[in-house]
């Protein structure tokens, strides 16, 4: 008969069955109270007949089973108390008309007999487990044998040697459970092949609901305290694995292998890895072997971490020395991969990930194990001719996980470069993936502040992160990246450069040369991010050589080399259409050279200044950029004291000339006024020039240019700025600047300022002017005797 599918039908059938069972249970209990045993057994048999139905789903059948077996407990309790009066019950219940009720009653009575006379245990248990073969209907048979297992859970013999051989020993218990397990598994597998093929999904769902009944057998075996490791190796595991492999059913195999891993102790697994893993290779093609092996690896790794002794940050492995855990797994996983040709590549890689995790958790100090896993993975990909693996493939994600686990576990890029197979495996990825992994590695270096101390280390790491510092040469059409994301990536590389640090200056120089070789071919967009850190690192190194001049007699020559290195690096930036950046670095270099003062430093500093001038004249055309650049050149030169007059004078003249040639009048004015500082605080023979006349000439020229501006607002703003400059030099004792000059400027501003139209710019000019007058007022009212000049005679209004 076909099973009704509707939920309502199932509920109705279940209600009817439970109702009938309870009615018979009531009668049974009534007859038991009256001590009418035969009538009670008839009612019990009728009640148990409800379990013969084929109409219920596994879920509904389970509810009926629970209701019926709960009532059987009353019968068992009664028989336990009255059994001395009834000596032939075990034979009597066998006359029940139908087999299922007969066997349920037989189990119930048999348990009572065993409890009252333990010498019957061995024979009755064997009898019961064999007689249960009488029910071959999968669903009914599974629940019947489950009832047998539940009833016997506390009475199974659990001793190695019994006082009376008829009581049985642990080997009888193992035989009993294994026989029951084998029969239950056959029944469970048989469910798959009943009914129409269109109901396959429903049958698989039902089997999923019933799997715990089969698994309970393994739990019972694991609870036998007298079952030693030797017993497990010799009897229990071979018995289970034989049944698992021979059933040839993927669902059963996957579940039972997982059960074995979960229910038996870790110590047992450690000593039986070979047979277990060999069995994995013999499983059906539909079995997800990957999950089984990963589950076992994770369990053993967790056991090692949980039970191992902690020493510092590390965990001492407690895996016995004779158990070569990694080697066993490595060999067997390779065997499985070779045998199971149907296994998807991503599953194969997942197994390598699990092996890697095992090596790291159990053998944290064995870098060679990790390297071996990476090498095996690379060989697998070679055999399949897998190269340039796209970032869109699922296998790419597993491979990426493999390499990221290495990076995360060691948190030390210097350990990563010891892995000889890391780079070959990295080369299997496409450009996008390699770039992503390179970025991941660099971020790890930055987070852990891993310092790179040798040129070899720097070379290896820069080779790994090549996708970050160079475009994909194989695909020139698709190198476009979001500008913000690109800048962020290059910023990360720039930060990494600052971690190239060695205590030995000579090694530091070698590292900078290595970095320059790798970073120099990245194109203009990259150079502006990655070359400046190199230049500044080189400047710092020059200072380091200066500091150890007494210990290193060749420091002078080494400084010259560093400056040449900087010059060529900055030239590369200039050639890459980055004049602003190159100009700033040349000026910074001139300052550094001026401070270090090695042989011939003046000539080289002059060269750096002239290079900056050349860039200003030839490459910078924007008027704002020109003003900023010439101001920067002048402020740099003003600080330098290394030039003799023959080099200083042309530079001063060129600065003044360049300022006066600026395109816009306001820029000219500001540039010329800035030149005044060169003649005042600029250095001549190591001391400030304090050339009052040329300083004033610059200010006067600035005033003349300001008067030529047609825009009144700009003109007033320039006059306010000029007033501040005049005041600056007046306060510092330039005797050629008079109070009359200051009054003239103040009068000019007072005259023009009220005529300006109200605007935000006008407010700023007014605010600047008020602050200037407030400063003047403070000076005029001050009684400070240290002031070099007198402010008397200045008219503010």
């Amino acid at each position: 008969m076909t099973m009704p599918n509707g939920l309502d039908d199932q509920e109705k059938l279940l209600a009817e069955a439970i109702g009938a069972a309870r009615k018979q249970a009531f009668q049974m209990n009534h007859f038991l109270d009256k001590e009418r045993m035969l009538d009670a057994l008839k009612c019990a048999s009728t009640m148990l007949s409800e379990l013969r139905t084929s109409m219920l789903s596994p879920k509904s059948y389970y509810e009926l089973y629970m209701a019926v077996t709960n009532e059987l407990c009353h019968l068992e309790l009664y028989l336990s108390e009255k059994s001395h009066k009834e000596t032939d019950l075990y034979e009597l219940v066998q006359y029940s008309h139908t087999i299922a009720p007969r066997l349920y009653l037989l189990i119930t009575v048999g348990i009572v007999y065993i409890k009252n006379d333990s010498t019957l245990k061995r024979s009755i248990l064997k009898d019961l487990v064999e007689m249960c073969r009488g029910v071959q209907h999968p669903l009914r048979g599974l629940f019947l044998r489950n009832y047998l297992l539940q009833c016997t859970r506390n009475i199974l013999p659990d001793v190695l040697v019994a006082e009376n051989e008829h009581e049985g020993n642990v080997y009888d218990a193992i035989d009993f459970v294994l026989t029951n397990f084998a029969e239950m598994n056959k029944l469970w597998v048989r469910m798959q092949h009943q009914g129409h093929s269109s109901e396959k999904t429903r049958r698989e769902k039902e089997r999923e609901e019933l799997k715990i009944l089969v698994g309970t057998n393994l739990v019972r075996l694991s609870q036998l305290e007298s079952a030693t490791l030797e017993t497990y190796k010799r009897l229990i595991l071979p018995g289970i694995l034989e049944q698992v492999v021979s059933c040839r059913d993927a669902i059963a195999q996957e579940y039972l292998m997982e059960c074995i891993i979960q229910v038996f102790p870790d110590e047992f697994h450690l000593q039986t890895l070979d047979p277990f893993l060999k069995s994995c290779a013999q499983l059906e093609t539909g079995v997800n072997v990957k999950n089984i092996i990963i589950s076992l690896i994770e369990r053993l790794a967790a056991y090692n971490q949980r039970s191992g002794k902690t020493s510092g940050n590390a965990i001492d492995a407690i895996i016995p020395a004779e158990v070569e855990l990694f080697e066993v797994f490595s060999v067997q996983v390779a065997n499985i991969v070779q045998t199971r040709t149907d296994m998807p590549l991503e599953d194969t890689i997942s197994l390598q990930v699990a092996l890697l995790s095992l090596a790291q958790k159990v053998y944290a100090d064995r870098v060679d194990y990790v390297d071996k896993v990476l090498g095996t993975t690379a060989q697998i990909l070679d055999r399949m001719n897998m190269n340039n693996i796209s970032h869109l493939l699922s296998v790419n994600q597993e491979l990426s996980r493999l390499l990221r686990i290495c990076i995360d576990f060691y948190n030390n890029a210097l350990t990563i470069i010891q892995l000889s197979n890391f780079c070959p495996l990295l080369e299997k990825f496409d450009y996008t993936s390699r770039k992503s992994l390179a970025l991941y590695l660099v971020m790890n270096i930055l987070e852990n502040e891993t310092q790179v101390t040798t040129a070899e280390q720097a070379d290896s790491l820069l080779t790994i992160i090549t996708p970050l510092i160079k475009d994909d040469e194989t695909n020139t059409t698709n190198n476009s990246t979001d500008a913000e994301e690109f800048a962020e990536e290059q910023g990360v590389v720039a930060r990494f450069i600052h971690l190239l640090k060695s205590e030995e200056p000579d090694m530091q120089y070698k590292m900078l040369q290595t970095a320059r070789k790798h970073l120099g071919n990245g194109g203009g967009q990259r150079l502006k991010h990655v070359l400046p850190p190199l230049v500044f690192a080189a400047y710092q190194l020059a200072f380091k050589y200066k500091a150890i001049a007494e210990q290193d007699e060749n420091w002078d020559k080494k400084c010259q080399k560093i400056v040449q290195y900087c010059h060529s690096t900055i030239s590369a930036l200039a050639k890459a259409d980055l004049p602003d950046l190159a100009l700033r670095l040349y000026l910074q270099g001139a300052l550094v050279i001026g401070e270090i003062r090695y042989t011939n430093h003046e000539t080289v500093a002059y060269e750096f200044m002239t290079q900056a001038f050349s860039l200003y004249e030839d490459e910078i055309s924007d008027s704002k950029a020109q003003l900023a650049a010439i101001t920067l050149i002048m402020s740099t030169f003003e600080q330098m004291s290394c030039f003799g007059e023959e080099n200083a004078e042309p530079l001063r003249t060129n600065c003044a000339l360049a300022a006066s040639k600026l395109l816009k009048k306001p820029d000219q004015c500001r540039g010329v006024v800035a030149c005044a500082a060169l003649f005042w605080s600029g250095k001549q023979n190591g001391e400030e020039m304090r050339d009052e006349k040329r300083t004033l000439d610059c200010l006067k020229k600035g005033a003349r240019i300001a008067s030529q501006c047609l825009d009144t607002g700009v003109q007033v703003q320039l006059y306010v700025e000029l007033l501040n400059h005049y005041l600056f030099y007046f306060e510092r004792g330039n005797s050629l600047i008079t109070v009359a000059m200051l009054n003239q400027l103040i009068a000019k501003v007072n005259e023009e300022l009220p005529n300006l139209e109200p605007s935000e710019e006008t407010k700023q000019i007014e605010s600047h002017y008020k602050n200037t007058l407030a400063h003047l007022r403070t000076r005029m009212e001050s009684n400070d005797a240290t002031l070099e000049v007198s402010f008397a005679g200045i008219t503010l209004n």
Side-chain angles (χ1 to χ4, degrees), residues 739-773:
V739 169
M741 291 177 185
L742 298 178
N743 284 336
Q744 190 179 352
L745 275 171
I746 291 169
K748 189 72 175 169
V749 175
N750 286 339
E751 179 188 339
E752 298 292 348
L753 191 57
N755 300 330
L756 297 181
E757 292 181 6
S759 68
E760 192 62 38
E761 288 179 359
T762 304
K763 280 183 185 177
Q764 289 177 3
I765 295 168
E766 287 174 348
S767 175
H768 189 184
Y769 184 53
K770 281 178 185 175
N771 290 337
T772 307
L773 294 182

Side-chain angles (χ1 to χ4, degrees), residues 241-264:
L241 291 177
E242 182 189 358
Q243 182 56 224
V244 171
V245 173
S246 64
C247 75
R248 303 180 65 80
D249 178 82
I251 295 174
Q253 288 179 339
E254 191 164 333
Y255 170 68
L256 293 172
M257 294 299 268
E258 186 65 40
C259 269
I260 294 170
I261 294 168
Q262 298 304 328
V263 303
F264 291 105

Side-chain angles (χ1 to χ4, degrees), residues 130-167:
E130 289 298 330
M131 290 181 78
C132 283
R133 294 182 196 269
V135 177
Q136 287 297 310
H137 183 277
L139 188 62
R140 296 200 289 268
L142 277 171
F143 278 97
L144 172 66
R145 286 189 173 276
N146 183 64
Y147 180 66
L148 173 63
L149 200 61
Q150 294 299 326
C151 289
T152 56
R153 68 180 179 277
N154 295 322
I155 61 168
L156 288 175
D158 195 4
V159 291
L160 285 171
V161 180
E163 293 178 10
N164 186 324
E165 65 172 332
H166 296 296
E167 290 180 5

Side-chain angles (χ1 to χ4, degrees), residues 676 679-680 691-702 704 726 729 734-738 741:
F679 300 104
W680 184 260
D691 188 331
E692 295 183 351
K693 182 179 181 305
R694 292 175 79 175
T695 302
L696 181 60
D697 287 346
C698 289
L699 296 178
K700 282 182 175 179
K701 188 173 182 181
R704 275 200 312 276
Y726 268 91
Y729 294 110
N734 188 331
S735 58
L736 298 181
I737 297 174
T738 63
M741 291 177 185

Side-chain angles (χ1 to χ4, degrees), residues 73-87:
C73 291
H74 298 299
L75 177 62
E76 185 188 335
L77 188 64
Y78 177 85
L79 292 175
S80 298
E81 293 170 355
K82 307 284 184 180
S83 61
H84 59 281
K85 297 177 185 177
E86 310 290 345
T87 54

Side-chain angles (χ1 to χ4, degrees), residues 306-540:
R306 187 174 62 250
S307 309
K309 295 175 184 174
T310 306
S311 55
N313 293 327
I315 295 176
D316 295 336
I318 61 154
I319 307 294
E322 69 272 11
V323 180
E324 295 180 342
L325 195 59
F326 179 80
E327 292 295 344
V328 172
F329 269 109
S330 185
V331 170
Q332 293 299 341
V333 165
N335 181 38
I336 288 166
V337 169
Q338 199 169 357
T339 308
R340 299 181 69 87
T341 51
D342 61 304
M343 187 183 286
L345 181 58
E346 48 267 37
D347 283 6
T348 305
I349 303 303
S350 294
L351 285 176
Q352 300 304 318
V353 171
L355 264 180
L356 183 78
S357 180
L358 176 73
Q360 290 174 338
K361 288 176 182 173
V362 180
Y363 305 99
D365 55 335
R366 294 293 299 268
V367 180
D368 57 316
Y369 281 172
V370 174
D371 203 28
K372 184 178 179 181
V373 174
L374 298 181
T376 304
T377 310
Q379 286 170 13
I380 291 168
L381 296 174
D382 282 336
R383 281 202 302 269
M384 301 185 71
N385 202 23
M386 292 283 285
N387 290 300
N388 201 32
I389 300 168
S390 169
H391 60 283
L392 302 173
L393 297 176
S394 56
V395 68
N396 183 297
Q397 294 168 4
E398 285 299 315
L399 281 168
S400 296
R401 192 155 72 95
L402 190 71
L403 297 184
R404 285 171 195 253
I405 286 172
C406 292
I407 295 169
D408 290 336
F409 178 76
Y410 292 115
N411 277 334
N412 187 341
L414 304 183
T415 308
I416 296 299
I417 58 177
Q418 290 175 27
L419 301 170
S420 59
N421 290 303
F422 188 91
C423 283
L425 189 56
L426 186 64
E427 289 302 314
K428 299 288 181 185
F429 290 86
D430 66 353
Y431 177 78
T432 305
S433 304
R434 280 186 284 123
K435 184 176 170 185
S436 172
L437 285 163
L439 186 62
Y440 193 80
L441 178 62
V442 177
M443 290 303 295
N444 183 274
I445 292 170
L446 296 177
E447 283 168 20
N448 295 286
E449 297 183 358
T450 308
Q451 289 200 4
V452 183
T453 55
T454 70
E456 291 76 16
Q457 292 172 353
D459 186 54
S460 298
L461 285 171
L462 287 163
T463 301
I464 291 175
I465 67 166
T466 296
L468 275 178
I469 56 184
K470 203 173 179 184
D471 284 334
D472 183 11
E473 293 176 352
T474 60
N475 184 9
T476 52
T477 57
N478 191 24
N479 282 319
S480 57
T481 313
D482 176 64
E484 194 173 325
E485 185 185 329
F486 179 80
E488 195 174 328
E489 286 172 2
Q490 297 310 306
V492 167
V493 176
R495 287 168 61 199
F496 163 66
I497 291 165
H498 290 294
L499 289 171
L500 304 178
K501 288 182 181 176
S502 174
E503 294 299 317
E504 300 174 21
D506 292 351
M507 182 55 74
Q508 178 74 16
Y509 181 62
K510 283 182 183 176
M511 283 200 290
L512 293 178
Q513 283 184 310
T514 302
R516 174 75 176 81
K517 185 177 70 179
H518 281 276
L519 299 169
N521 301 319
Q525 290 303 309
R526 284 188 174 84
L527 293 185
K528 68 179 178 184
H529 295 284
V530 298
L531 290 193
L534 282 181
V535 174
F536 279 100
Y539 289 156
Q540 287 174 344

